[in-house]
Amino acid sequence: MIALHRFSVPLPLVLIFAMALGLAAMLRAQIEGGERGVPPIDSSSSFEVSGIEVDAYGPNADAARLAGWRAAQRKGWDALWARTHGGARGPGLSDSALDAIVAGIIVEDEQIGPRRYIARLGVLFDRARAGSILGTSGNLLRSAPMLVIPVQWSGGTPQSFETRTEWQKAWARFRTGNSPVDYVRPTGTGVDSLMLTPAQTWRPGRTWWRLLIDGYGAADVLIPQVQIERQWPGGPVIGRFSAFHGPDREYLGGFVLRVGAADGLPKLMDEGVRRMDALFVRALQEGRLVPDPSLIVEPEATEEELEELEEGIPEETATIESDQPTAGLSSFNIQYDTPDVGSVNAGEAVLRGIPGVRSAQTASLALGGVSVMRVTYEGDIGALASALSARGFQVQQGLGTLRIRRGGAAPAAAPAPIPSPSGTPARK
């Protein structure tokens, strides 16, 4: 006979095993959820001109549409030239020349009839080909790579990449080529929903942030946040937008937008992204969008590198004695007006001509506005301000920053009072 023995399993062990299976199933469902992830549609560096209204006619629908697109290319070129040259009127280009520099047409809204075409279009110009004509094909400094975590508050609940939100979709639709900010936009798939959570944006600890930022190839983090308030179902929607920078959530600015119906929420979000980008660009120009040094992961030097470094140190180093102290090099930001491309080169040439200036390079370019130049100077900021004033600039001094304008002649000093015969100053 075969004896059958019954083995009893402790009840706590069974419960632990069942809980482990349940947690594993929940984790897999959270990672592989189908309602998650919005890949960015475009990250190219094309020049974009949007909101072009066209109304064209033709013998048929296709011919009318082609005529409308041709008209949009001409209007877009005029607008792009005016934007990069301080409002000046640009040279006229033929349709064949425009076809060579246009990278694509964006259809924002269109109505097609048998012989008429009415639309609102956007035009993308190839940066390399159009830049050679515009005179802006040079290398422009951009910000360090910034990881973007869009957070949407709706109904008292924050969401980032757990589900597809309108705020995430708007950031995916945004074309980053025209912005000097280098955005790193996660798609929201895989482990993004587990690692880039709204709770993570409130954690100032640097250890986990270093791992996240290094994993996504970024240098710092930007947190665009929106709080949605619905007045009633299908009614007006109010969006309160706030921009934050870094693990410490440095506040950069905010604004409020409103739309009359719930159907206009995507347009509200698109406008919010555009204005949010303007806030980040302004912070970059002001020198506030600097990566946090505590987030930089520096690899440790190996023993071989340390030995090579020790071997490269000379045994005896000659010293130069001087009675006059040598001023140290300092770096400052210079804000100056750049109405056109020529003013950029002229401003850099003036700074490089000042004695003591070791380098002058435009770090943030804003044609038609105020650009920021990074200057390395052998001396303090007061001496540099005095040298600029002597060259006819109006100078406003701030903390590590100078704002200069042309035509800064100092006002003439008031004449001294003429004494009267009685010994008291005469009144005029």
Side-chain angles (χ1 to χ4, degrees):
M1 293 179 64
I2 300 176
L4 299 177
H5 299 278
R6 178 176 296 178
F7 297 94
S8 61
V9 180
L11 182 61
L13 184 61
V14 175
L15 294 177
I16 293 175
F17 183 71
M19 292 175 62
L21 289 178
L23 290 175
M26 292 174 59
L27 181 61
R28 181 174 181 180
Q30 187 173 359
I31 294 178
E32 299 180 356
E35 297 297 327
R36 188 181 299 116
V38 183
I41 61 173
D42 184 25
S43 298
S44 65
S45 58
S46 302
F47 293 111
E48 180 182 0
V49 180
S50 59
I52 303 174
E53 303 284 347
V54 296
D55 187 353
Y57 294 86
N60 52 57
D62 293 337
R65 187 177 191 181
L66 179 60
W69 285 15
R70 298 279 193 186
Q73 291 182 172
R74 292 189 290 269
K75 291 182 179 180
W77 171 252
D78 293 339
L80 179 61
W81 184 277
R83 189 173 68 190
T84 56
H85 291 78
R89 184 176 179 83
L93 299 181
S94 62
D95 290 336
S96 59
L98 290 174
D99 291 339
I101 64 176
V102 170
I105 300 292
I106 305 172
V107 179
E108 300 176 3
D109 185 20
E110 65 178 358
Q111 301 177 26
I112 304 176
R115 297 182 179 181
R116 189 178 181 183
Y117 181 74
I118 303 174
R120 183 174 66 253
L121 306 174
V123 182
L124 297 177
F125 293 91
D126 184 83
R127 182 175 291 270
R129 298 177 181 177
S132 60
I133 305 175
L134 294 169
T136 59
S137 58
N139 293 327
L140 302 179
L141 294 180
R142 292 168 59 88
S143 73
M146 296 288 177
L147 177 64
V148 179
I149 305 180
V151 178
Q152 173 181 309
W153 283 80
S154 180
T157 303
Q159 292 180 335
S160 57
F161 295 103
E162 293 82 2
T163 59
R164 296 192 187 104
T165 63
E166 292 296 334
W167 190 223
Q168 182 191 1
K169 294 177 183 178
W171 275 99
R173 291 191 297 265
F174 180 62
R175 300 182 183 273
T176 61
N178 290 335
S179 176
V181 181
D182 188 1
Y183 295 107
V184 178
R185 297 177 291 179
T187 59
T189 58
V191 298
D192 293 347
S193 60
L194 298 178
M195 303 176 70
L196 305 179
T197 62
Q200 177 61 35
T201 62
W202 288 91
R203 294 175 182 148
R206 298 304 195 265
T207 303
W208 187 244
W209 274 116
R210 291 193 192 102
L211 297 175
L212 286 179
I213 289 177
D214 185 64
Y216 286 92
D220 211 330
V221 60
L222 296 176
I223 306 170
Q225 179 177 295
V226 59
Q227 183 177 356
I228 299 177
E229 298 178 4
R230 294 178 171 86
Q231 303 301 304
W232 58 80
V237 180
I238 299 176
R240 304 183 185 276
F241 298 84
S242 303
F244 300 95
H245 167 232
D248 295 330
R249 293 179 66 91
E250 177 190 0
Y251 181 70
L252 301 179
F255 52 90
V256 179
L257 298 177
R258 184 181 186 275
V259 68
D263 296 341
L265 184 59
K267 293 184 179 179
L268 176 74
M269 293 299 183
D270 291 338
E271 179 64 18
V273 171
R274 189 186 66 82
R275 296 196 184 186
M276 191 70 68
D277 173 68
L279 287 178
F280 291 140
V281 171
R282 186 180 65 183
L284 176 64
Q285 295 173 351
E286 295 174 353
R288 302 170 60 189
L289 218 61
V290 179
D292 190 343
S294 63
L295 297 176
I296 300 176
V297 181
E298 297 182 357
E300 298 182 358
T302 62
E303 295 182 359
E304 297 179 356
E305 293 175 346
L306 292 176
E307 292 177 358
E308 294 178 358
L309 182 61
E310 293 178 355
E311 294 176 358
I313 300 177
E315 297 181 358
E316 297 182 358
T317 305
T319 59
I320 301 176
E321 297 182 357
S322 176
D323 297 336
Q324 298 179 354
T326 302
L329 295 178
S330 303
S331 297
F332 309 109
N333 290 330
I334 308 295
Q335 299 179 0
Y336 66 111
D337 298 324
T338 51
D340 50 29
V341 179
S343 61
V344 179
N345 299 329
E348 293 178 351
V350 170
L351 265 297
R352 294 190 182 113
I354 297 178
V357 173
R358 294 293 179 261
S359 65
Q361 182 68 34
T362 300
S364 178
L365 179 62
L367 292 177
V370 179
S371 299
V372 179
M373 187 190 312
R374 191 67 174 172
V375 176
T376 303
Y377 180 66
E378 188 176 350
D380 57 9
I381 192 171
L384 181 58
S386 300
L388 289 168
S389 298
R391 281 163 173 77
F393 285 94
Q394 292 180 355
V395 182
Q396 296 178 356
Q397 183 174 340
L399 183 60
T401 304
L402 295 178
R403 176 69 168 95
I404 61 175
R405 295 182 178 88
R406 278 292 185 181
I418 302 175
S420 63
S422 60
T424 58
R427 296 183 179 178
K428 296 184 178 180

